[in-house]
Amino acid sequence: MIKAQPLKLGDKEFKSRLFTGTGKFSSNQMMEDAILASGSELVTVALRRVDIHDQTDDLLSHLKHPHIQLLPNTSGVRTAKEAVFAAQLAREALGTNWVKLEIHPDPRYLLPDSEETLKATRELVKLGFIVLPYIQADPVLCKKLEDVGTAAVMPLGSPIGSNQGLQTRDFLRIIIEQSNVPVIVDAGIGVPSHAAEAIEMGADAVLVNTAIAVSDDPVAMGHAFRLAVEAGAIARKAKVGRKSMIAEASSPLTSFLD
Amino acid sequence: MGFYELLQSHDWDKTKDDIYSKSSNDVVRALESDQLTVDDFKALISPAASPYLEEMAQQSRMKTLRRFGRTIQMYVPLYLSNECTNFCIYCGFNHENSVSRLTLNSVQILEEVEAIKKLGFEHLLLVTGEHPVKAGFFYLKDTIRLLKEHFKLISIEVAPMDTEQYKELVGLGLNSVYIYQETFHEKRYNVYHPKGKKANFRYRLETPERLGQAGAYKTGLGCLLGLEDWRVDSFFTALHLDYLRRNYWRTKYSIAFPRLRPHVGSFQPNSIISDRELVQLICAYRLFDENVELSLSTRESAKFRDRLVHLGITTMSAGSSTEPGGYANKNRSLEQFSISDARSPEEVKNQIQAAGYEAVWKDWDSYLQ
């Protein structure tokens, strides 16, 4: 029986290739239940939503499980400078050097700023952070991020929260083909089949939030995503067959060479 | 082109005719579109859209859920001063109204803070009348300095200021500014605001542009429903939003729907918007802009607010007092208007939870800006 390989990321190994977010849930309890059902071991938390100096912060206390690695994100900052500052405060207060870098000066579509993200990644890596930047599906940017020491790249599948799936498919393929660091498809994954598709395509992991949080049954949806990501990983290992819509040609074109 | 010029290129009466002559076809086209234009918005707020209200509500709910999830952001207003040099003929703070006037000093402000913090709020909205000497820029500067350590997000709803002043306040920790145009009908605006600094229509209209230049994080827009025809004023609000998001794309926008309510003066609304029409308007904004925050204050009844949680609203106040000093000591003779939803924040939170949503008290932190 084929099993999916664990994913090495930063200084850790993850059995689950499904990463999750914590926003948009109807309650913190629902969030916790859904995350546990998803099997996710890497969970991102917006610094804006939690009080990092409050030991009893309700959202954070729902994430205290030994198998869960917390990934604070900088959502809301507009510049590299603000991101670096926020990451440092978070490291001090939460005791983790992991950071999901989100720099989006555009508050409408929350699209990431490539220039500032590269700048902040460079700085944060120097400061000893494990940096996971949320970025456009831009293959050149991914190589530049690799050069400055990023732990992974997190290209978007489609605009955040849009549930539109892998609209950037062609660019994701190039990124995956060229990457020396894990590729995590972030944003836009709306249904489990999108997640399976990303993993089958060769992505190392996916990050899902809205699709789980706003479904009518987040726990069931968390479980569905878990299965989809596992299926994708096993299928990739098993090697999928060739795609073909036509039968073998009846008169071979190269038989004259025999 | 500034927004004032853009506004001048639209004739009020022609716009009104255009809205009122929209057909079912126009509404259906808007409902089937993925990216609505301001013309589609006209169709959705027109009388022709009334039979499509349920369809609009379903779409609005779906789009709001996708973007904002099952959450409602909570804030509370802190009325700092009811002193005012303006003569807005519809307002309880009008200079000529013989109500007691009060501007809170720092001791009184901290008393209010203590009472407000007990209610659970982290997002605070500071409100003043327009009094440049007693409650102007310097007073606000001191107040923001004083309050910064007590709240995660500070916003203001005060008289408009210059770009440089806004820059300074943002530098001190101000996040959002709410500035309502009241009406986009310039001639009628002058009737409602006959004297005082607020009589300057253009200066008020261009405030969101100055805020964009000053780097404010969020600007709140809206018109006062009850002055002129609500459909026409709401169309211009949408046009304003459309202009601003193209030109000042770094700023987040929110829209509020203040309906005129009874108050100390004698002004009665010229244009009544019914509950059904207000729901139509809120859904129309959501369909027009999936990302704009839509806010509903305690001016509206508890029953109405509870329903609207499902229809597109993203932000609510609760337990509000509209009088300076009203959280620590009740004194209703000072209030700007009487609120309708008088439930405690705890009660509102419980109701939001019962509706399957989470009341979010903190969604920002001062160190992020």
PDB file of all heavy atoms in Angstrom, chain B residues 113-144:
ATOM      1  N   VAL B 113     -13.463  55.285  29.158  1.00  0.00           N
ATOM      2  CA  VAL B 113     -12.657  54.151  28.704  1.00  0.00           C
ATOM      3  C   VAL B 113     -12.847  52.958  29.625  1.00  0.00           C
ATOM      4  O   VAL B 113     -13.045  51.829  29.184  1.00  0.00           O
ATOM      5  CB  VAL B 113     -11.158  54.545  28.628  1.00  0.00           C
ATOM      6  CG1 VAL B 113     -10.274  53.315  28.467  1.00  0.00           C
ATOM      7  CG2 VAL B 113     -10.929  55.516  27.480  1.00  0.00           C
ATOM      8  N   GLU B 114     -12.832  53.258  30.917  1.00  0.00           N
ATOM      9  CA  GLU B 114     -12.990  52.179  31.889  1.00  0.00           C
ATOM     10  C   GLU B 114     -14.328  51.460  31.688  1.00  0.00           C
ATOM     11  O   GLU B 114     -14.387  50.220  31.671  1.00  0.00           O
ATOM     12  CB  GLU B 114     -12.903  52.766  33.303  1.00  0.00           C
ATOM     13  CG  GLU B 114     -12.387  51.776  34.322  1.00  0.00           C
ATOM     14  CD  GLU B 114     -12.503  52.319  35.734  1.00  0.00           C
ATOM     15  OE1 GLU B 114     -12.213  53.518  35.939  1.00  0.00           O
ATOM     16  OE2 GLU B 114     -12.896  51.540  36.618  1.00  0.00           O
ATOM     17  N   ALA B 115     -15.378  52.256  31.503  1.00  0.00           N
ATOM     18  CA  ALA B 115     -16.711  51.670  31.314  1.00  0.00           C
ATOM     19  C   ALA B 115     -16.776  50.888  29.993  1.00  0.00           C
ATOM     20  O   ALA B 115     -17.345  49.794  29.932  1.00  0.00           O
ATOM     21  CB  ALA B 115     -17.761  52.768  31.338  1.00  0.00           C
ATOM     22  N   ILE B 116     -16.177  51.441  28.944  1.00  0.00           N
ATOM     23  CA  ILE B 116     -16.232  50.807  27.619  1.00  0.00           C
ATOM     24  C   ILE B 116     -15.425  49.511  27.602  1.00  0.00           C
ATOM     25  O   ILE B 116     -15.855  48.501  27.030  1.00  0.00           O
ATOM     26  CB  ILE B 116     -15.711  51.789  26.536  1.00  0.00           C
ATOM     27  CG1 ILE B 116     -16.746  52.888  26.299  1.00  0.00           C
ATOM     28  CG2 ILE B 116     -15.396  51.066  25.233  1.00  0.00           C
ATOM     29  CD1 ILE B 116     -16.275  53.977  25.367  1.00  0.00           C
ATOM     30  N   LYS B 117     -14.267  49.527  28.234  1.00  0.00           N
ATOM     31  CA  LYS B 117     -13.411  48.329  28.233  1.00  0.00           C
ATOM     32  C   LYS B 117     -14.136  47.156  28.904  1.00  0.00           C
ATOM     33  O   LYS B 117     -13.985  46.007  28.508  1.00  0.00           O
ATOM     34  CB  LYS B 117     -12.078  48.598  28.944  1.00  0.00           C
ATOM     35  CG  LYS B 117     -11.156  49.537  28.196  1.00  0.00           C
ATOM     36  CD  LYS B 117     -10.612  48.954  26.910  1.00  0.00           C
ATOM     37  CE  LYS B 117      -9.469  47.989  27.169  1.00  0.00           C
ATOM     38  NZ  LYS B 117      -8.818  47.579  25.910  1.00  0.00           N
ATOM     39  N   LYS B 118     -14.929  47.486  29.912  1.00  0.00           N
ATOM     40  CA  LYS B 118     -15.682  46.423  30.601  1.00  0.00           C
ATOM     41  C   LYS B 118     -16.687  45.760  29.661  1.00  0.00           C
ATOM     42  O   LYS B 118     -17.090  44.623  29.878  1.00  0.00           O
ATOM     43  CB  LYS B 118     -16.422  47.010  31.813  1.00  0.00           C
ATOM     44  CG  LYS B 118     -15.519  47.190  33.018  1.00  0.00           C
ATOM     45  CD  LYS B 118     -16.314  47.610  34.238  1.00  0.00           C
ATOM     46  CE  LYS B 118     -15.361  48.049  35.341  1.00  0.00           C
ATOM     47  NZ  LYS B 118     -15.905  49.133  36.152  1.00  0.00           N
ATOM     48  N   LEU B 119     -17.100  46.500  28.637  1.00  0.00           N
ATOM     49  CA  LEU B 119     -18.061  45.939  27.681  1.00  0.00           C
ATOM     50  C   LEU B 119     -17.385  45.022  26.665  1.00  0.00           C
ATOM     51  O   LEU B 119     -18.048  44.327  25.913  1.00  0.00           O
ATOM     52  CB  LEU B 119     -18.792  47.068  26.947  1.00  0.00           C
ATOM     53  CG  LEU B 119     -19.582  48.056  27.828  1.00  0.00           C
ATOM     54  CD1 LEU B 119     -20.129  49.206  26.985  1.00  0.00           C
ATOM     55  CD2 LEU B 119     -20.721  47.340  28.549  1.00  0.00           C
ATOM     56  N   GLY B 120     -16.055  45.054  26.618  1.00  0.00           N
ATOM     57  CA  GLY B 120     -15.329  44.122  25.748  1.00  0.00           C
ATOM     58  C   GLY B 120     -14.793  44.714  24.448  1.00  0.00           C
ATOM     59  O   GLY B 120     -14.182  44.009  23.653  1.00  0.00           O
ATOM     60  N   PHE B 121     -15.002  45.994  24.215  1.00  0.00           N
ATOM     61  CA  PHE B 121     -14.616  46.565  22.915  1.00  0.00           C
ATOM     62  C   PHE B 121     -13.111  46.820  22.796  1.00  0.00           C
ATOM     63  O   PHE B 121     -12.462  47.243  23.743  1.00  0.00           O
ATOM     64  CB  PHE B 121     -15.352  47.885  22.680  1.00  0.00           C
ATOM     65  CG  PHE B 121     -16.810  47.699  22.418  1.00  0.00           C
ATOM     66  CD1 PHE B 121     -17.745  47.908  23.412  1.00  0.00           C
ATOM     67  CD2 PHE B 121     -17.260  47.297  21.162  1.00  0.00           C
ATOM     68  CE1 PHE B 121     -19.100  47.719  23.184  1.00  0.00           C
ATOM     69  CE2 PHE B 121     -18.608  47.109  20.913  1.00  0.00           C
ATOM     70  CZ  PHE B 121     -19.528  47.320  21.928  1.00  0.00           C
ATOM     71  N   GLU B 122     -12.591  46.568  21.595  1.00  0.00           N
ATOM     72  CA  GLU B 122     -11.197  46.892  21.262  1.00  0.00           C
ATOM     73  C   GLU B 122     -11.137  47.906  20.115  1.00  0.00           C
ATOM     74  O   GLU B 122     -10.107  48.489  19.851  1.00  0.00           O
ATOM     75  CB  GLU B 122     -10.427  45.630  20.864  1.00  0.00           C
ATOM     76  CG  GLU B 122     -10.225  44.636  22.000  1.00  0.00           C
ATOM     77  CD  GLU B 122      -9.263  45.135  23.076  1.00  0.00           C
ATOM     78  OE1 GLU B 122      -8.662  46.198  22.906  1.00  0.00           O
ATOM     79  OE2 GLU B 122      -9.139  44.431  24.105  1.00  0.00           O
ATOM     80  N   HIS B 123     -12.250  48.030  19.369  1.00  0.00           N
ATOM     81  CA  HIS B 123     -12.306  48.989  18.260  1.00  0.00           C
ATOM     82  C   HIS B 123     -13.180  50.166  18.690  1.00  0.00           C
ATOM     83  O   HIS B 123     -14.343  49.996  19.017  1.00  0.00           O
ATOM     84  CB  HIS B 123     -12.927  48.357  17.016  1.00  0.00           C
ATOM     85  CG  HIS B 123     -12.065  47.290  16.401  1.00  0.00           C
ATOM     86  ND1 HIS B 123     -12.322  46.767  15.151  1.00  0.00           N
ATOM     87  CD2 HIS B 123     -10.952  46.654  16.844  1.00  0.00           C
ATOM     88  CE1 HIS B 123     -11.401  45.850  14.862  1.00  0.00           C
ATOM     89  NE2 HIS B 123     -10.565  45.756  15.871  1.00  0.00           N
ATOM     90  N   LEU B 124     -12.564  51.350  18.679  1.00  0.00           N
ATOM     91  CA  LEU B 124     -13.239  52.535  19.214  1.00  0.00           C
ATOM     92  C   LEU B 124     -13.426  53.591  18.128  1.00  0.00           C
ATOM     93  O   LEU B 124     -12.522  53.867  17.351  1.00  0.00           O
ATOM     94  CB  LEU B 124     -12.380  53.123  20.346  1.00  0.00           C
ATOM     95  CG  LEU B 124     -12.953  54.319  21.089  1.00  0.00           C
ATOM     96  CD1 LEU B 124     -14.154  53.909  21.924  1.00  0.00           C
ATOM     97  CD2 LEU B 124     -11.894  54.953  21.978  1.00  0.00           C
ATOM     98  N   LEU B 125     -14.627  54.179  18.096  1.00  0.00           N
ATOM     99  CA  LEU B 125     -14.913  55.284  17.180  1.00  0.00           C
ATOM    100  C   LEU B 125     -15.114  56.556  17.988  1.00  0.00           C
ATOM    101  O   LEU B 125     -16.018  56.628  18.825  1.00  0.00           O
ATOM    102  CB  LEU B 125     -16.193  54.973  16.375  1.00  0.00           C
ATOM    103  CG  LEU B 125     -16.769  56.135  15.555  1.00  0.00           C
ATOM    104  CD1 LEU B 125     -15.828  56.520  14.422  1.00  0.00           C
ATOM    105  CD2 LEU B 125     -18.145  55.771  14.993  1.00  0.00           C
ATOM    106  N   LEU B 126     -14.258  57.554  17.750  1.00  0.00           N
ATOM    107  CA  LEU B 126     -14.387  58.833  18.465  1.00  0.00           C
ATOM    108  C   LEU B 126     -15.295  59.766  17.668  1.00  0.00           C
ATOM    109  O   LEU B 126     -15.122  59.924  16.460  1.00  0.00           O
ATOM    110  CB  LEU B 126     -13.005  59.490  18.609  1.00  0.00           C
ATOM    111  CG  LEU B 126     -11.948  58.663  19.349  1.00  0.00           C
ATOM    112  CD1 LEU B 126     -10.601  59.386  19.317  1.00  0.00           C
ATOM    113  CD2 LEU B 126     -12.398  58.418  20.789  1.00  0.00           C
ATOM    114  N   VAL B 127     -16.256  60.378  18.357  1.00  0.00           N
ATOM    115  CA  VAL B 127     -17.210  61.262  17.674  1.00  0.00           C
ATOM    116  C   VAL B 127     -17.215  62.623  18.359  1.00  0.00           C
ATOM    117  O   VAL B 127     -17.221  62.710  19.590  1.00  0.00           O
ATOM    118  CB  VAL B 127     -18.640  60.666  17.728  1.00  0.00           C
ATOM    119  CG1 VAL B 127     -19.605  61.518  16.897  1.00  0.00           C
ATOM    120  CG2 VAL B 127     -18.660  59.227  17.231  1.00  0.00           C
ATOM    121  N   THR B 128     -17.212  63.678  17.546  1.00  0.00           N
ATOM    122  CA  THR B 128     -17.398  65.036  18.076  1.00  0.00           C
ATOM    123  C   THR B 128     -18.325  65.803  17.149  1.00  0.00           C
ATOM    124  O   THR B 128     -18.527  65.408  15.996  1.00  0.00           O
ATOM    125  CB  THR B 128     -16.076  65.842  18.140  1.00  0.00           C
ATOM    126  OG1 THR B 128     -15.630  66.104  16.799  1.00  0.00           O
ATOM    127  CG2 THR B 128     -14.992  65.120  18.902  1.00  0.00           C
ATOM    128  N   GLY B 129     -18.872  66.903  17.650  1.00  0.00           N
ATOM    129  CA  GLY B 129     -19.490  67.878  16.775  1.00  0.00           C
ATOM    130  C   GLY B 129     -18.358  68.664  16.120  1.00  0.00           C
ATOM    131  O   GLY B 129     -17.190  68.307  16.258  1.00  0.00           O
ATOM    132  N   GLU B 130     -18.692  69.757  15.430  1.00  0.00           N
ATOM    133  CA  GLU B 130     -17.616  70.545  14.821  1.00  0.00           C
ATOM    134  C   GLU B 130     -17.364  71.792  15.669  1.00  0.00           C
ATOM    135  O   GLU B 130     -18.146  72.743  15.635  1.00  0.00           O
ATOM    136  CB  GLU B 130     -17.982  70.931  13.380  1.00  0.00           C
ATOM    137  CG  GLU B 130     -16.911  71.816  12.740  1.00  0.00           C
ATOM    138  CD  GLU B 130     -16.858  71.703  11.228  1.00  0.00           C
ATOM    139  OE1 GLU B 130     -17.742  71.065  10.649  1.00  0.00           O
ATOM    140  OE2 GLU B 130     -15.904  72.255  10.643  1.00  0.00           O
ATOM    141  N   HIS B 131     -16.291  71.730  16.427  1.00  0.00           N
ATOM    142  CA  HIS B 131     -15.907  72.907  17.209  1.00  0.00           C
ATOM    143  C   HIS B 131     -14.384  73.004  17.178  1.00  0.00           C
ATOM    144  O   HIS B 131     -13.696  72.363  17.965  1.00  0.00           O
ATOM    145  CB  HIS B 131     -16.419  72.799  18.647  1.00  0.00           C
ATOM    146  CG  HIS B 131     -16.442  74.125  19.338  1.00  0.00           C
ATOM    147  ND1 HIS B 131     -15.299  74.833  19.636  1.00  0.00           N
ATOM    148  CD2 HIS B 131     -17.482  74.897  19.750  1.00  0.00           C
ATOM    149  CE1 HIS B 131     -15.623  75.972  20.214  1.00  0.00           C
ATOM    150  NE2 HIS B 131     -16.941  76.048  20.292  1.00  0.00           N
ATOM    151  N   PRO B 132     -13.855  73.821  16.244  1.00  0.00           N
ATOM    152  CA  PRO B 132     -12.404  73.845  16.007  1.00  0.00           C
ATOM    153  C   PRO B 132     -11.591  74.186  17.255  1.00  0.00           C
ATOM    154  O   PRO B 132     -10.478  73.704  17.409  1.00  0.00           O
ATOM    155  CB  PRO B 132     -12.232  74.930  14.941  1.00  0.00           C
ATOM    156  CG  PRO B 132     -13.572  75.089  14.312  1.00  0.00           C
ATOM    157  CD  PRO B 132     -14.584  74.722  15.356  1.00  0.00           C
ATOM    158  N   VAL B 133     -12.155  74.990  18.151  1.00  0.00           N
ATOM    159  CA  VAL B 133     -11.383  75.392  19.335  1.00  0.00           C
ATOM    160  C   VAL B 133     -11.484  74.321  20.437  1.00  0.00           C
ATOM    161  O   VAL B 133     -10.485  73.805  20.913  1.00  0.00           O
ATOM    162  CB  VAL B 133     -11.863  76.756  19.880  1.00  0.00           C
ATOM    163  CG1 VAL B 133     -11.033  77.159  21.092  1.00  0.00           C
ATOM    164  CG2 VAL B 133     -11.753  77.819  18.779  1.00  0.00           C
ATOM    165  N   LYS B 134     -12.702  73.978  20.808  1.00  0.00           N
ATOM    166  CA  LYS B 134     -12.882  73.074  21.948  1.00  0.00           C
ATOM    167  C   LYS B 134     -12.675  71.603  21.602  1.00  0.00           C
ATOM    168  O   LYS B 134     -12.270  70.809  22.452  1.00  0.00           O
ATOM    169  CB  LYS B 134     -14.278  73.271  22.549  1.00  0.00           C
ATOM    170  CG  LYS B 134     -14.410  74.616  23.251  1.00  0.00           C
ATOM    171  CD  LYS B 134     -15.738  74.719  23.961  1.00  0.00           C
ATOM    172  CE  LYS B 134     -15.839  76.049  24.688  1.00  0.00           C
ATOM    173  NZ  LYS B 134     -17.234  76.347  25.041  1.00  0.00           N
ATOM    174  N   ALA B 135     -13.010  71.216  20.378  1.00  0.00           N
ATOM    175  CA  ALA B 135     -12.894  69.791  20.029  1.00  0.00           C
ATOM    176  C   ALA B 135     -12.352  69.645  18.607  1.00  0.00           C
ATOM    177  O   ALA B 135     -12.896  68.922  17.791  1.00  0.00           O
ATOM    178  CB  ALA B 135     -14.248  69.101  20.164  1.00  0.00           C
ATOM    179  N   GLY B 136     -11.280  70.367  18.320  1.00  0.00           N
ATOM    180  CA  GLY B 136     -10.700  70.347  16.981  1.00  0.00           C
ATOM    181  C   GLY B 136      -9.493  69.433  16.888  1.00  0.00           C
ATOM    182  O   GLY B 136      -9.345  68.487  17.668  1.00  0.00           O
ATOM    183  N   PHE B 137      -8.617  69.747  15.938  1.00  0.00           N
ATOM    184  CA  PHE B 137      -7.446  68.923  15.633  1.00  0.00           C
ATOM    185  C   PHE B 137      -6.562  68.668  16.858  1.00  0.00           C
ATOM    186  O   PHE B 137      -6.193  67.524  17.142  1.00  0.00           O
ATOM    187  CB  PHE B 137      -6.656  69.611  14.507  1.00  0.00           C
ATOM    188  CG  PHE B 137      -5.314  69.014  14.269  1.00  0.00           C
ATOM    189  CD1 PHE B 137      -5.192  67.728  13.741  1.00  0.00           C
ATOM    190  CD2 PHE B 137      -4.154  69.732  14.565  1.00  0.00           C
ATOM    191  CE1 PHE B 137      -3.941  67.166  13.519  1.00  0.00           C
ATOM    192  CE2 PHE B 137      -2.906  69.177  14.343  1.00  0.00           C
ATOM    193  CZ  PHE B 137      -2.806  67.893  13.819  1.00  0.00           C
ATOM    194  N   PHE B 138      -6.266  69.720  17.622  1.00  0.00           N
ATOM    195  CA  PHE B 138      -5.325  69.550  18.741  1.00  0.00           C
ATOM    196  C   PHE B 138      -5.933  68.697  19.859  1.00  0.00           C
ATOM    197  O   PHE B 138      -5.262  67.881  20.477  1.00  0.00           O
ATOM    198  CB  PHE B 138      -4.863  70.919  19.271  1.00  0.00           C
ATOM    199  CG  PHE B 138      -4.022  71.642  18.258  1.00  0.00           C
ATOM    200  CD1 PHE B 138      -4.554  72.682  17.497  1.00  0.00           C
ATOM    201  CD2 PHE B 138      -2.706  71.253  18.029  1.00  0.00           C
ATOM    202  CE1 PHE B 138      -3.785  73.315  16.536  1.00  0.00           C
ATOM    203  CE2 PHE B 138      -1.931  71.891  17.072  1.00  0.00           C
ATOM    204  CZ  PHE B 138      -2.482  72.929  16.320  1.00  0.00           C
ATOM    205  N   TYR B 139      -7.219  68.890  20.068  1.00  0.00           N
ATOM    206  CA  TYR B 139      -7.939  68.091  21.060  1.00  0.00           C
ATOM    207  C   TYR B 139      -7.907  66.602  20.653  1.00  0.00           C
ATOM    208  O   TYR B 139      -7.645  65.719  21.475  1.00  0.00           O
ATOM    209  CB  TYR B 139      -9.381  68.607  21.152  1.00  0.00           C
ATOM    210  CG  TYR B 139     -10.287  67.785  22.032  1.00  0.00           C
ATOM    211  CD1 TYR B 139     -10.252  67.892  23.422  1.00  0.00           C
ATOM    212  CD2 TYR B 139     -11.222  66.908  21.468  1.00  0.00           C
ATOM    213  CE1 TYR B 139     -11.097  67.146  24.224  1.00  0.00           C
ATOM    214  CE2 TYR B 139     -12.079  66.162  22.258  1.00  0.00           C
ATOM    215  CZ  TYR B 139     -12.005  66.280  23.640  1.00  0.00           C
ATOM    216  OH  TYR B 139     -12.853  65.528  24.425  1.00  0.00           O
ATOM    217  N   LEU B 140      -8.133  66.355  19.363  1.00  0.00           N
ATOM    218  CA  LEU B 140      -8.136  64.965  18.888  1.00  0.00           C
ATOM    219  C   LEU B 140      -6.752  64.336  18.976  1.00  0.00           C
ATOM    220  O   LEU B 140      -6.601  63.153  19.292  1.00  0.00           O
ATOM    221  CB  LEU B 140      -8.641  64.897  17.445  1.00  0.00           C
ATOM    222  CG  LEU B 140     -10.162  64.986  17.334  1.00  0.00           C
ATOM    223  CD1 LEU B 140     -10.572  65.272  15.909  1.00  0.00           C
ATOM    224  CD2 LEU B 140     -10.805  63.690  17.829  1.00  0.00           C
ATOM    225  N   LYS B 141      -5.756  65.154  18.673  1.00  0.00           N
ATOM    226  CA  LYS B 141      -4.375  64.673  18.767  1.00  0.00           C
ATOM    227  C   LYS B 141      -4.083  64.176  20.183  1.00  0.00           C
ATOM    228  O   LYS B 141      -3.587  63.065  20.384  1.00  0.00           O
ATOM    229  CB  LYS B 141      -3.440  65.856  18.454  1.00  0.00           C
ATOM    230  CG  LYS B 141      -2.388  65.557  17.416  1.00  0.00           C
ATOM    231  CD  LYS B 141      -1.674  66.823  17.040  1.00  0.00           C
ATOM    232  CE  LYS B 141      -0.303  66.837  17.666  1.00  0.00           C
ATOM    233  NZ  LYS B 141       0.526  67.935  17.115  1.00  0.00           N
ATOM    234  N   ASP B 142      -4.437  65.015  21.159  1.00  0.00           N
ATOM    235  CA  ASP B 142      -4.201  64.633  22.558  1.00  0.00           C
ATOM    236  C   ASP B 142      -5.013  63.400  22.924  1.00  0.00           C
ATOM    237  O   ASP B 142      -4.539  62.517  23.644  1.00  0.00           O
ATOM    238  CB  ASP B 142      -4.608  65.800  23.490  1.00  0.00           C
ATOM    239  CG  ASP B 142      -3.655  66.977  23.354  1.00  0.00           C
ATOM    240  OD1 ASP B 142      -2.544  66.768  22.816  1.00  0.00           O
ATOM    241  OD2 ASP B 142      -4.017  68.101  23.755  1.00  0.00           O
ATOM    242  N   THR B 143      -6.253  63.349  22.415  1.00  0.00           N
ATOM    243  CA  THR B 143      -7.131  62.241  22.780  1.00  0.00           C
ATOM    244  C   THR B 143      -6.614  60.923  22.191  1.00  0.00           C
ATOM    245  O   THR B 143      -6.625  59.885  22.860  1.00  0.00           O
ATOM    246  CB  THR B 143      -8.568  62.523  22.282  1.00  0.00           C
ATOM    247  OG1 THR B 143      -8.968  63.797  22.783  1.00  0.00           O
ATOM    248  CG2 THR B 143      -9.529  61.465  22.775  1.00  0.00           C
ATOM    249  N   ILE B 144      -6.142  60.965  20.950  1.00  0.00           N
ATOM    250  CA  ILE B 144      -5.619  59.737  20.332  1.00  0.00           C
ATOM    251  C   ILE B 144      -4.380  59.253  21.095  1.00  0.00           C
ATOM    252  O   ILE B 144      -4.240  58.064  21.379  1.00  0.00           O
ATOM    253  CB  ILE B 144      -5.323  59.961  18.829  1.00  0.00           C
ATOM    254  CG1 ILE B 144      -6.650  60.111  18.072  1.00  0.00           C
ATOM    255  CG2 ILE B 144      -4.507  58.808  18.244  1.00  0.00           C
ATOM    256  CD1 ILE B 144      -6.522  60.572  16.648  1.00  0.00           C
TER     257      ILE B 144
END
